[in-house]
Amino acid sequence: MMEHPQLSFGGFMLGVVALVGWILWVLPLWSRHGTFFAVTVVPSFRSSPEAARVLRGYRLELLAHMAMAFALVTAAARWREAVLLALGVLWLAVGPLVSISRGHAKVMPHAVAHSTIREAPLTPRRMHLPGGWLLQAAPFAILLLTAAYLSAHCAEIPERFPVHWGMDGQPNGWSVRTPIGVYGPLCFGAGLVALISLVGYGLSHAARRIPAGAKPADSINPGQRIALALLGVEFFIAAMFALVGLLPLTGSPGLAPVLMLAGGVIACVILLLRWQSQGLGASASLAHPGDGTPDACWKLGLFYYNPEDAALFVEKRIGFGYTINFARPAAWVMLVLTLLVPLALAALTIPRQHR
């Protein structure tokens, strides 16, 4: 058992907060050259004094939100209060969104008309998931092999084993040797992987296609890029839940989850930064500002609602990745599934803890 585990946990969480803070610091600059805080502008506006004032105001507000989040996370590690940790995470999630919306409102007076020119690519859309079905099945195979290993060593599993640890590093939740107790976490992980695969499939088939002139040099469309990143997330989730699934035999996860999480975060940041820089470099050569979507359809600069757009997924105007078109009924179905499926899986597959 590590010495002063609550300090180690607190230090790790502070590191996560710092990483998220850095991403939020540069987030307004991760957009097309013809947009700023989700508003269509002339490309030269980004280097204007007014844009600098908006960005400076956003970052000052961000520093205040970061300070509050740091304080709450530090207090959670010091006094071992999970409520303070939850408040810190919530503040870090909601506070910057409010600041982005305020920046969006400040830039709106400088908006220009978006381009109504629509390009129709003559090349067929890539309809397959990255890696094909063989690679897509690999995360499920990891969980299935873990289940087979547990079944082969069933006699070695104790009647009662720890499944949850507090911030002091001591086990505070236990499970028993039942089918749900042993295989429940693996089933939960398989459900999450299936849900992420569904999102990746949707991105590959129903995402708005960007103009041909904005494609990076490697010609992989952004929907395929994010689907590939989601495949990496699937592997990460499968590995983490395989590790959790082995707890009946190992008794303690040790530092493996922290190391895996740190490695996964670093890999994702490196890949996303590389992809985003390629996309921004290509968008700088476009003759028309913006992304072809109306500013009025971007509510608070964060939520896209356009009944006239048939696309289910559209490129975000701030940051990287995609967001859903809330005017499409299928988007609400996917949103409900994303929220309810993990809760239902947890209720059905995760055993009730015994203290």
Side-chain angles (χ1 to χ4, degrees):
M1 192 67 64
M2 70 180 70
E3 188 177 359
H4 303 302
Q6 68 274 20
L7 296 180
S8 300
F9 174 81
F12 172 75
M13 288 303 301
L14 289 175
V16 171
V17 171
L19 176 62
V20 173
W22 173 78
I23 293 176
L24 292 171
W25 183 269
V26 298
L27 192 62
L29 303 179
W30 287 351
S31 62
R32 291 177 176 271
H33 285 266
T35 60
F36 190 64
F37 277 92
V39 178
T40 303
V41 295
V42 294
S44 59
F45 176 78
R46 295 168 68 100
S47 57
S48 68
E50 181 59 31
R53 282 193 293 269
V54 174
L55 183 61
R56 184 167 56 250
Y58 162 79
R59 286 177 169 174
L60 287 176
E61 292 183 14
L62 178 63
L63 288 176
H65 293 310
M66 289 295 300
M68 179 60 71
F70 262 95
L72 290 170
V73 172
T74 303
R78 174 64 179 82
W79 290 296
R80 306 176 188 178
E81 287 289 342
V83 174
L84 293 178
L85 177 61
L87 287 176
V89 173
L90 182 63
W91 197 292
L92 187 62
V94 176
L97 295 182
V98 175
S99 298
I100 289 174
S101 296
R102 285 169 52 82
H104 173 78
K106 294 176 182 178
V107 177
M108 276 300 295
H110 305 276
V112 298
H114 73 281
S115 173
T116 57
I117 298 176
R118 296 292 299 273
E119 295 187 15
L122 300 179
T123 57
R125 180 194 292 266
R126 294 186 180 185
M127 302 297 285
H128 61 80
L129 289 170
W133 291 109
L134 185 61
L135 193 58
Q136 292 288 327
F140 296 97
I142 293 174
L143 297 170
L144 185 60
L145 290 174
T146 304
Y149 183 84
L150 288 172
S151 179
H153 296 79
C154 184
E156 304 174 25
I157 298 176
E159 289 292 335
R160 187 170 179 264
F161 51 88
V163 293
H164 190 272
W165 286 259
M167 287 190 290
D168 59 356
Q170 299 299 318
N172 58 10
W174 302 78
S175 186
V176 293
R177 191 176 63 183
T178 62
I180 291 296
V182 174
Y183 300 107
L186 297 177
C187 294
F188 183 52
L192 288 182
V193 170
L195 182 62
I196 296 174
S197 297
L198 178 63
V199 175
Y201 182 85
L203 283 172
S204 298
H205 289 70
R208 169 191 277 266
R209 302 185 71 175
I210 64 172
K215 286 186 179 180
D218 57 13
S219 74
I220 301 178
N221 72 69
Q224 286 282 318
R225 290 177 180 277
I226 301 301
L228 182 61
L230 290 177
L231 179 60
V233 174
E234 292 175 34
F235 273 97
F236 175 77
I237 289 177
M240 290 292 287
F241 276 92
L243 190 65
V244 172
L246 292 174
L247 285 178
L249 292 175
T250 61
S252 174
L255 288 175
V258 176
L259 296 177
M260 290 174 62
L261 182 60
V265 169
I266 292 173
C268 288
V269 169
I270 292 175
L271 288 175
L272 290 174
L273 282 176
R274 178 175 177 269
W275 290 348
Q276 188 68 11
S277 64
Q278 289 178 341
L280 293 181
S283 70
S285 61
L286 292 178
H288 307 285
D291 56 2
T293 59
D295 287 343
C297 294
W298 287 94
K299 312 304 180 183
L300 302 178
L302 300 169
F303 308 104
Y304 183 69
Y305 186 92
N306 188 357
E308 298 181 359
D309 193 342
L312 178 60
F313 295 94
V314 295
E315 192 180 52
K316 289 182 178 180
R317 278 198 169 187
I318 182 169
F320 45 77
Y322 280 75
T323 185
I324 58 177
N325 181 1
F326 285 90
R328 312 307 303 172
W332 288 99
V333 173
M334 180 167 292
L335 182 62
V336 170
L337 288 176
T338 303
L339 295 175
L340 294 185
V341 168
L343 296 177
L345 288 171
L348 293 174
T349 62
I350 295 181
R352 185 171 299 176
Q353 294 181 4
H354 301 268
R355 298 187 181 276

